[in-house]
Amino acid sequence: MQVPLLRLQCGVNSYEWGKAGSDSAAARYAAATPRDGFQVESKKPYAELWMGTHPSNPSSDIETKRSLLDLVQDNQALMGQDIAKKYDQKLPFLFKVLSIAKALSIQAHPNKKLAAQLHKDNPKEYKDDNHKPEMTIAITPFEGLCGFRLLEETAYFLKSIKSLRALVGEDASKKFETAVENSKSQAEQKQALRAAFTSLMESKDEDVKAASKELLEQVQSQQTDFPGKDAPAPGGKVLAELLPRLNSQFPSDIGLFVTFFLNFVVLEPGEAMFLRADDIHAYISGDIIECMAASDNVVRAGFTPKFKDIPNLTSMLTYTLAPPSSQKMTPVPYPYCKLNTTSHSSDSSAMLYDPPIEEFAVVKTDLKNAGAKVTFEGIEGPAIIICTEGKGKISVGPKTEEVKEGYVYFVGATAECVLESTDGAKPFVTFRAFCELAEEGGEGKGNL
């Protein structure tokens, strides 16, 4: 029987927002195991490395050149019988590396019910019928807009920025402020937020263009005091740099004003956040690991030349309010592995990022000295592992292979997997995405 360890070749997508050439982690990782003669071009933007079975860009086995989708559909044992049955013999997750030089679209991903309807009504834009909750883990410092701000913060901006108030409209702005000041009903507050945000998003292009000019003039005039000395987070200094930068990428775009409704979130390497279906967000900069349910559905409404679906975006959002800290996830030590003595003495770690869904979880492993080793117990589900730094080796059963930055491996269900650092100069850093269904009444190894 074939040892369930496959080195993968993975495709990289070139989108305008990606980092150029070797500045892109996605491009460097793709070049480590090049597919179809791939070579990095210095001026070309590289945005996303895809790892998985999604038909838009499926990974393939480096030895046989067969797609991973073909391999797991031919051999249910690679997936685990229960997962193969539940997810139609496809990986339940899509694993990515994103390299972001300019803002991605203001977007949300539909829940399962809406995804099925969108796919039925407009299959050209919505290519599958699945939901797309997703998790982001920073490789380098990351900036993003994620989730709605607290209402008091948006009310401050409406009072302090005339161009924003003009686009939202005086009537919607006053109703919003009244709800913030007087209503104790969460439902009423959400309705006021929805009305104000929808009014903004339905602004005419010529009005947005004029308002953008006025906004940037105010930023230029007030500088780090924009829009007032007591401005909500991230504060005038950040906004005075951020808004002109966004405008240089997408001139006179409605997204400039969406910034005042959403939380500005910064992640340092190793920090993470989870986005449920129907959560609004826009990534701004950085290199990240991203894991999501296996879907490519995106409802967009700004910072993009692509199809914008404002009616669906404004109607699908939950309008949940939360501070930036609530967007972040706290990893915990992964208990279903064993670190050797060298790992313990070098402060190595295996940390679990466990979102509240069953399709995926991710373990980040840092082995900080040569000889540091971690042994993962076999699980009843598949895994994909990518190395983002350092050198080492991976072993499954009698098979051992080298691992370098950018190498990607598939590990089949039930297989014990060993990772070991072979280089003391740099930490050996890997991310392992996996799925294991919880037993009825119990927990899987990604659900603690």
Side-chain angles (χ1 to χ4, degrees), residues 166-398:
L167 290 179
V168 172
E170 189 61 29
D171 184 56
S173 295
K174 284 184 176 179
K175 288 180 179 178
F176 180 84
E177 290 165 345
T178 299
V180 174
E181 293 169 3
N182 300 325
S183 177
K184 298 187 183 299
S185 165
Q186 191 176 73
E188 289 179 3
Q189 291 181 341
K190 283 188 176 185
Q191 183 56 41
L193 173 60
R194 177 174 180 163
F197 185 72
T198 300
S199 181
L200 172 68
M201 297 307 294
E202 292 176 346
S203 299
K204 296 177 181 178
D205 289 346
E206 58 266 30
D207 293 337
V208 175
K209 185 175 181 179
S212 297
K213 183 175 182 294
E214 184 180 340
L215 171 66
L216 292 168
E217 287 173 350
Q218 184 180 354
V219 171
Q220 179 64 29
S221 173
Q222 294 183 275
Q223 293 290 314
T224 57
D225 288 336
F226 171 84
K229 291 187 177 181
D230 55 348
K237 183 176 180 180
V238 173
L239 288 171
E241 185 280 327
L242 177 65
L243 292 168
R245 172 162 41 115
L246 293 174
N247 188 67
S248 71
Q249 297 171 3
F250 295 95
S252 302
D253 192 277
I254 191 66
L256 295 175
F257 297 93
V258 173
T259 303
F260 303 115
F261 279 80
L262 304 186
N263 291 307
F264 179 75
V265 177
V266 174
L267 300 180
E268 295 302 324
E271 290 190 314
M273 62 182 182
F274 175 69
L275 298 165
R276 292 173 174 82
D278 303 331
D279 278 354
I280 189 169
H281 59 282
Y283 297 164
I284 295 174
S285 69
D287 296 288
I288 60 173
I289 291 286
E290 191 178 53
C291 199
M292 65 201 69
S295 172
D296 197 26
N297 283 326
V298 183
V299 182
R300 301 178 180 89
F303 289 152
T304 180
K306 296 182 179 180
F307 171 69
K308 298 177 184 178
D309 193 348
I310 290 171
N312 272 314
L313 182 88
T314 54
S315 64
M316 70 186 276
L317 298 174
T318 60
Y319 294 96
T320 299
L321 306 165
S325 58
S326 72
Q327 303 287 332
K328 296 184 179 181
M329 298 180 65
T330 302
V332 297
Y334 182 62
Y336 302 106
C337 68
K338 183 178 180 181
L339 294 161
N340 69 355
T341 302
T342 304
S343 295
H344 287 295
S345 64
S346 60
D347 197 29
S348 298
S349 62
M351 302 298 292
L352 172 68
Y353 301 81
D354 188 19
I357 57 170
E358 68 176 11
E359 282 95 335
F360 62 84
V362 173
V363 175
K364 178 178 184 278
T365 305
D366 291 84
L367 300 178
K368 297 183 179 179
N369 209 342
K373 181 191 298 186
V374 59
T375 302
F376 290 100
E377 296 177 12
I379 60 172
E380 295 295 328
I384 290 180
I385 298 172
I386 182 170
C387 171
T388 59
E389 185 179 354
K391 297 178 181 178
K393 56 187 179 180
I394 184 170
S395 301
V396 172

Side-chain angles (χ1 to χ4, degrees), residues 1-2 70-80 89:
M1 182 178 176
Q2 181 185 16
D70 287 344
L71 291 168
V72 299
Q73 288 186 334
D74 282 354
N75 185 356
Q76 277 195 10
L78 290 173
M79 293 278 287
Q89 294 181 244

Side-chain angles (χ1 to χ4, degrees), residues 98-115:
L98 273 61
S99 293
I100 306 155
K102 58 188 290 188
L104 277 72
S105 56
I106 294 164
Q107 60 183 257
H109 305 297
N111 58 43
K112 284 188 175 181
K113 182 179 179 180
L114 179 59

